């Protein structure tokens, strides 16, 4: 799975992030797909639009759009509320992005509806103050996500093979200091709708409410659970909730995590970085090393990451 990849020039939040809103990105994405798949892995692109949080886009284009012109106290700019036409244009952007994913040779997409990006902004009563097709009730706040899914499925049916993978990621709750964007009961209703869309999986962002979500899905689709895996036993424990386990940190430390389990070599799975030589062998890009070694200590780093200090 790639990181968040913007479907629109107005949807970029992060510096140096991937984007897929233009055909000029296809050659690089094609090379990436080949690299990911060279040893038999499936390759998916996580497609997103940051909406109101598109800080990089605002710096480039002087505009950040969202479902409503809400004042976000942590953003140093005003949000431009989307007109109905603009909402549909973003839905089209997700469809065009999916075409490029297919052309580049990837096996599927994950629709990134988590971490306060635009899909979550439409679902949240904090950021969505509309009273039209896109908001006003909980059910209407689901419509943007459901229309994005519908468009992607239409594109996949026309351009992709039958085994093209489509998933949806969400954050279980949105709680602010003085208000609630949505709670787990809202999310469970949303999960119930998602499970009926013929998506291949639903993916969450934390270990909260795994049992409740699994019960609502009730085998209608796969559930990818997040347990912040540090070792093999953690992964096994997570399987009581999901059919699959989502990992990032541990798979960076041990790229052969799954392979070693499959081969019965659980005792050989590395769970921390133990030497400068091991750190060097993992070959993290320089900007990733800088991020992991954040001197302010804001970022969660893999155990043993201090060994990278000798390499920078």
């Amino acid at each position: 799975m790639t990181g968040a990849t913007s479907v629109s020039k107005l949807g970029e939040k992060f510096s140096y992030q991937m984007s897929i809103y233009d055909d000029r990105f296809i050659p690089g994405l094609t090379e990436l797909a080949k690299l990911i798949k060279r040893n038999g892995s499936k390759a998916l692109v996580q497609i997103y639009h940051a909406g109101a949080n598109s800080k990089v886009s605002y710096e480039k284009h002087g505009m950040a759009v969202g479902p409503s012109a809400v004042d976000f106290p942590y953003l140093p700019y005003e949000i431009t509320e989307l007109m109905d036409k603009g909402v549909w244009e973003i839905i089209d952007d997700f469809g065009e992005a999916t075409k490029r994913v297919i052309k580049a040779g990837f096996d599927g997409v994950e629709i990134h509806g988590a971490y306060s990006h635009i899909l979550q902004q439409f679902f949240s009563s904090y950021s969505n103050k509309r009273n039209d097709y896109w908001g006003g009730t909980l059910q209407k706040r689901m419509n943007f996500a459901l229309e994005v899914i519908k468009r992607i499925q239409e594109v996949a049916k026309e351009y992709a093979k039958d085994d093209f993978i489509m998933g949806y990621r969400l954050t279980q709750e949105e709680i602010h200091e003085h208000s609630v964007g949505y709670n787990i009961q809202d999310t469970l209703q949303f999960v119930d709708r998602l499970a009926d869309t013929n998506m291949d999986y639903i993916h969450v962002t934390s270990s909260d409410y795994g049992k409740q979500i699994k019960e609502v899905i009730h085998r209608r689709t796969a559930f990818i659970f997040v347990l912040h895996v540090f070792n093999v036993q953690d992964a096994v424990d997570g399987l009581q909730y999901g059919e699959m386990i989502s990992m990032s940190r541990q798979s960076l430390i041990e790229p052969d995590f799954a392979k070693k389990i499959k081969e019965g070599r659980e005792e050989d799975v590395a769970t921390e970085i133990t030497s400068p030589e091991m750190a060097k062998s993992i070959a993290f890009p320089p900007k990733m090393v800088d991020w992991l070694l954040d001197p302010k200590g804001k970022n969660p780093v893999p155990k043993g990451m201090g060994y990278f200090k000798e390499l920078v």
Side-chain angles (χ1 to χ4, degrees):
M1 179 78 66
T2 72
T5 304
S6 179
V7 303
S8 168
K9 69 178 183 179
L10 290 180
E12 296 177 313
K13 178 179 180 180
F14 310 105
S15 299
Y16 304 104
Q17 72 163 90
M18 289 171 53
S19 291
I20 195 170
Y21 57 78
D22 192 275
D23 286 350
R24 72 177 186 272
F25 298 119
I26 293 176
L29 290 163
T30 300
E31 290 302 309
L32 179 60
K34 290 177 181 176
L35 285 169
I36 295 174
K37 296 168 68 171
R38 63 184 174 180
N39 292 320
S41 295
K42 295 290 186 181
L44 279 71
V45 179
Q46 187 183 66
I47 51 177
Y48 96 123
H49 187 303
N53 291 313
S54 301
K55 298 176 183 179
V56 171
S57 293
Y58 185 85
E59 292 168 1
K60 290 180 179 179
H61 308 291
M63 179 184 291
V65 300
S68 301
V70 174
D71 180 22
F72 290 83
Y74 57 86
L75 295 177
Y77 50 78
E78 294 183 355
I79 308 305
T80 299
E81 182 173 321
L82 286 159
M83 302 295 286
D84 185 70
K85 178 182 178 183
V87 179
W88 286 107
E89 286 174 349
I90 292 176
I91 292 168
D92 287 339
D93 288 340
F94 275 95
E96 292 301 310
T98 302
K99 287 183 187 178
R100 296 183 185 107
V101 167
I102 295 166
K103 288 181 181 178
F106 283 88
D107 300 297
V109 294
E110 178 173 276
I111 304 167
H112 195 358
Y115 293 132
S116 297
H117 300 319
I118 199 166
L119 284 130
Q120 181 173 327
Q121 289 165 27
F122 269 93
F123 184 58
S124 167
S125 63
Y126 177 87
S127 48
N128 185 348
K129 306 299 185 183
R130 305 175 74 102
N131 285 293
D132 57 3
Y133 179 67
W134 309 110
T137 67
L138 175 62
Q139 297 301 317
K140 287 184 176 181
R141 296 202 309 272
M142 299 180 192
N143 284 340
F144 179 69
L146 296 173
E147 291 291 351
V148 167
I149 291 169
K150 180 180 176 182
R151 184 62 52 83
I152 289 172
Q153 289 176 329
E154 290 170 349
V155 169
K157 183 177 181 179
E158 183 173 356
Y159 296 99
K161 296 179 180 178
D162 291 341
D163 60 355
F164 190 75
I165 300 166
M166 290 173 280
Y168 192 97
R169 193 171 200 201
L170 56 86
T171 295
Q172 286 96 309
E173 289 189 308
E174 182 185 297
I175 310 296
H176 300 273
E177 185 177 359
H178 300 297
S179 63
V180 176
Y182 59 87
N183 58 30
I184 186 58
Q185 297 306 319
D186 299 329
T187 298
L188 292 176
Q189 292 185 59
F190 186 35
V191 166
D192 189 41
R193 293 288 299 277
L194 289 175
D196 278 338
T197 63
N198 294 316
M199 298 292 287
D200 293 297
Y201 68 82
I202 295 171
H203 183 188
V204 293
T205 58
S206 75
S207 58
D208 299 328
Y209 306 112
K211 182 175 183 291
Q212 294 96 314
I213 293 171
K214 180 181 179 180
E215 289 175 350
V216 169
I217 293 174
H218 194 58
R219 302 187 188 91
R220 285 176 288 170
T221 189
F223 180 27
I224 301 182
F225 190 59
V226 176
L227 198 63
H228 304 300
V229 172
F230 288 92
N231 52 51
V232 173
Q233 189 58 51
D234 288 341
V236 171
D237 291 343
L239 290 174
Q240 65 181 301
Y241 300 111
E243 286 75 26
M244 289 180 280
I245 302 299
S246 176
M247 295 191 300
S248 55
R249 170 180 42 205
Q250 183 52 41
S251 59
L252 291 170
I253 295 173
E254 175 56 274
D256 290 328
F257 189 95
K259 180 181 179 183
K260 288 181 178 179
I261 294 174
K262 186 176 180 180
E263 294 174 351
R265 296 192 292 131
E266 292 91 343
E267 69 281 359
D268 295 333
V269 172
T271 58
E272 61 182 301
I273 297 166
T274 55
S275 71
E277 291 75 23
M278 181 180 176
K280 187 175 181 180
S281 73
I282 296 174
F284 284 7
K287 290 186 184 299
M288 188 173 189
V289 173
D290 291 342
W291 180 81
L292 290 166
L293 294 176
D294 177 9
K296 295 182 180 179
K298 292 183 178 179
N299 296 313
V301 299
K303 190 174 181 180
M305 190 55 68
Y307 285 106
F308 274 103
K309 293 179 181 177
E310 299 186 27
L311 306 178
V312 298

